[in-house]
Amino acid sequence: MEKSEVTTGAYTPYSTKISKEAKDIFQKATEDLVGVEYSPFAVACQIVSGTNFRFICNAKDVSPNAPTTAAMIEIYQPINGIPRISEISRC
């Protein structure tokens, strides 16, 4: 997301155009997850002391014939530091 689109304290509207920066943050925060594959297709962000991201994803358990469901992954990216997952919820 371009910085001009972000209002401090409020989440942006969801966008299906996920920036390289946001994709990199998602990848870094989720790289150690096992058992479910998450594919983000929309993102909203909120500028705080760092940035909160809400990714809407397709979620698929890595077992045979598992259905694909929707999930929201919230990630906090501190100003200086490693992004971390705040919450994962199935939609």
Side-chain angles (χ1 to χ4, degrees):
M1 267 209 182
E2 295 180 26
K3 297 294 181 194
S4 62
E5 298 177 33
V6 179
T7 303
T8 302
Y11 272 94
T12 63
Y14 281 96
S15 174
T16 56
K17 295 179 183 177
I18 303 174
S19 70
K20 180 180 178 344
E21 175 190 15
K23 286 178 185 177
D24 291 346
I25 288 167
F26 180 87
Q27 195 283 322
K28 181 67 176 169
T30 61
E31 66 188 359
D32 293 330
L33 294 179
V34 295
V36 180
E37 295 176 355
Y38 294 100
S39 302
F41 61 84
V43 65
C45 63
Q46 173 191 43
I47 302 297
V48 289
S49 178
T51 306
N52 289 316
F53 291 88
R54 288 182 176 163
F55 291 92
I56 303 296
C57 307
N58 288 317
K60 183 169 174 62
D61 292 339
V62 292
S63 58
N65 302 318
T68 299
T69 60
M72 181 173 63
I73 298 181
E74 294 186 32
I75 296 173
Y76 174 64
Q77 171 64 63
I79 293 170
N80 295 308
I82 299 169
R84 63 181 182 267
I85 295 172
S86 304
E87 183 176 348
I88 299 175
S89 56
R90 294 282 174 126
C91 302

